[in-house]
Amino acid sequence: MKINRKWAMPNKNTFNIKPINELINRYLKEDLLVVDPFANANKLATITNDLDPQYDADYHLDALDFLKQIEDNSVDLVLYDPPYSQRQVSELYRKLDMSVNMETTQNSYWTKQKREIARIVKQGGYVISCAWNSGGIGKKYGFEIQEILLVAHGSWHNDTITTVERKVK
C-alpha cells in the first residue's frame, strides 16, 4: 500500500484539488465505465449524478436510487465523494427542500451506498473515495486498499483522505 501526504487549499469541488485530481487522472483510462454518484460540477465520469439540479449531471437522483439503477459487475471505476458528515447531508437535503430523517442522518446512509457500489463494480475495478476518514468501501465488500492520499488543508480545516481500493473478490 502506498501512502502519500500532500498540502492543498480546501475546495468544495474535491476533484479540483490538485493532488486529488492528479490521483484520479492516473486511474482514468479510455473505454472505462466510470460512475460518479455525487458529481457536483465535475465531468470526469462517464455517467454523472448529482441530487442538486443546478449541476449539469446526467441524473439528478438520490445517490442510492442512482446506484440501484446500474447493472451488477458493470463498472470499472467509481468516484465516490459523498457528503462527509450527517450535518452536510442535512444541509444539502434542506437546501433542496427534501426531508431530513433518521434514514439520511445515520451511518446507514453511507453503508447502503457502499453495498450498491460493491455490487456494481466488476472484479478488478476500482473505487476512489474521498472523506474525512480512510474507511472507503472496505474489505467486507471484497475491496483491498491500493493507496491512500492524505491532503492536509492547514489551519483548522479537516484533511481530505482519498482512498483507492480495488475489488479483489
Side-chain angles (χ1 to χ4, degrees), residues 10-168:
N11 186 330
K12 73 175 190 158
N13 296 309
T14 310
F15 298 160
N16 290 340
I17 298 170
K18 187 177 180 193
I20 295 172
N21 186 271
E22 289 170 349
L23 181 140
I24 290 169
N25 280 305
R26 286 201 322 268
Y27 288 87
L28 289 176
K29 295 180 176 45
E30 284 193 41
D31 300 326
L32 293 183
L33 179 56
V34 181
V35 170
D36 186 347
F38 296 93
N40 198 296
N42 296 297
K43 298 299 272 181
L44 298 173
T46 314
I47 304 171
T48 57
N49 177 67
D50 199 282
L51 186 58
D52 192 334
Q54 77 170 315
Y55 296 112
D56 179 24
D58 298 315
Y59 297 89
H60 297 287
L61 302 170
D62 179 82
L64 186 60
D65 295 334
F66 168 72
L67 292 166
K68 285 180 175 182
Q69 297 184 121
I70 300 171
E71 288 182 43
D72 293 2
N73 304 306
S74 64
V75 175
D76 299 293
L77 173 64
V78 173
L79 302 175
Y80 186 57
D81 184 29
Y84 295 177
S85 69
Q86 288 92 344
R87 181 189 56 78
Q88 289 179 338
V89 173
S90 294
E91 287 174 2
L92 175 62
Y93 275 62
R94 285 188 182 111
K95 174 185 164 195
L96 299 174
D97 291 326
M98 297 176 69
S99 68
V100 177
N101 53 40
M102 285 181 63
E103 189 74 19
T104 56
T105 58
Q106 292 188 334
N107 285 338
S108 62
Y109 172 83
W110 292 275
T111 301
K112 290 174 183 177
Q113 293 169 11
K114 289 178 181 186
R115 189 178 314 124
E116 289 301 313
I117 289 170
R119 179 187 62 76
I120 68 172
V121 174
K122 57 176 80 166
Q123 189 167 354
Y126 292 89
V127 177
I128 300 176
S129 303
C130 296
W132 289 334
N133 63 62
S134 60
I137 305 305
K139 218 174 193 176
K140 170 182 174 179
Y141 293 113
F143 286 82
E144 188 175 89
I145 293 174
Q146 301 296 297
E147 64 180 293
I148 295 173
L149 171 66
L150 172 66
V151 180
H153 300 297
S155 187
W156 288 100
H157 296 287
N158 289 322
D159 297 339
T160 301
I161 301 171
T162 304
T163 307
V164 178
E165 296 171 286
R166 185 167 179 257
K167 188 173 185 180
V168 294

